[in-house]
Amino acid sequence: MNEKEREQVALFRYGLIAPLFNGQVDPKEYLKGLEDKVHSVPYYGERKIAEKTMKEWLLNYRRNGFDALKPKKRMDKGNSRRLSPDDQDLVLEIRKKSLHMPVSVFYEQLIEHGEIQKNEISYSTINRLLKKHNLVGKQIVATP
């Protein structure tokens, strides 16, 4: 999500809570009425919004201003939550020795050799890691 989209979401949130801090409406009735409606939220699409969520937005706005209404950026973007850095290094080291192998077979080999547990680390996690390090695809050829 880019900065413009984050700002649009914040404006939407501000639009919902503005009548509350201006004293234009009865808070309980207003929030109950909004909770029952489906809102077209920028970037997120059609959503129902809980009363508690709107109260949280109002509190955040009062404490920290408009920027508090913007969605937060993910701190772990691009990092695996399942594989530790040491595990990632091990998988990459093993992969570099077996570049000729399709990723699906490589994944099965990791499970057979006990390097990973099938129910803990998915094929997608391994494939994503290998793609990130350009160790996937037919253009990769093992050197003899």
Side-chain angles (χ1 to χ4, degrees), residues 4-59:
K4 184 179 178 187
E5 291 167 335
R6 291 177 66 232
E7 189 141 324
Q8 288 175 343
V9 172
L11 282 170
F12 169 79
R13 292 174 178 178
Y14 179 81
L16 287 182
I17 63 170
L20 293 170
F21 54 78
N22 290 336
Q24 297 173 346
V25 292
D26 176 48
K28 283 189 177 186
E29 288 179 22
Y30 179 72
L31 290 174
K32 204 62 169 159
L34 285 179
E35 188 176 40
D36 296 334
K37 294 180 182 176
V38 175
H39 302 277
S40 180
V41 185
Y43 186 76
Y44 295 106
E46 301 292 318
R47 296 274 195 266
K48 279 191 170 188
I49 301 169
E51 180 179 344
K52 184 177 179 182
T53 301
M54 289 181 275
K55 285 180 179 179
E56 206 171 290
W57 292 343
L58 182 61
L59 182 66

Side-chain angles (χ1 to χ4, degrees), residues 43-133:
Y43 186 76
Y44 295 106
E46 301 292 318
R47 296 274 195 266
K48 279 191 170 188
I49 301 169
E51 180 179 344
K52 184 177 179 182
T53 301
M54 289 181 275
K55 285 180 179 179
E56 206 171 290
W57 292 343
L58 182 61
L59 182 66
N60 288 341
Y61 179 78
R62 284 182 174 155
R63 286 182 178 167
N64 301 312
F66 184 76
D67 284 343
L69 296 176
K70 293 180 182 179
K72 304 288 184 275
K73 294 179 181 177
R74 287 192 60 148
M75 296 306 209
D76 65 345
K77 187 176 180 181
N79 296 323
S80 175
R81 289 173 278 180
R82 288 286 179 186
L83 287 171
S84 69
D86 291 339
D87 291 340
Q88 288 181 22
D89 291 342
L90 177 65
V91 169
L92 292 172
E93 186 179 315
I94 295 169
R95 177 61 177 173
K96 287 176 183 172
K97 294 176 185 171
S98 56
L99 290 171
H100 63 284
M101 208 180 288
V103 177
S104 56
V105 176
F106 176 71
Y107 176 70
E108 295 299 326
Q109 291 276 325
L110 289 173
I111 294 168
E112 282 179 27
H113 294 271
E115 302 295 343
I116 61 170
Q117 298 297 316
K118 187 173 187 171
N119 58 349
E120 291 178 10
I121 299 171
S122 69
Y123 167 80
S124 298
T125 300
I126 298 298
N127 193 35
R128 199 177 307 114
L129 173 68
L130 297 178
K131 276 185 179 179
K132 183 178 176 182
H133 292 275

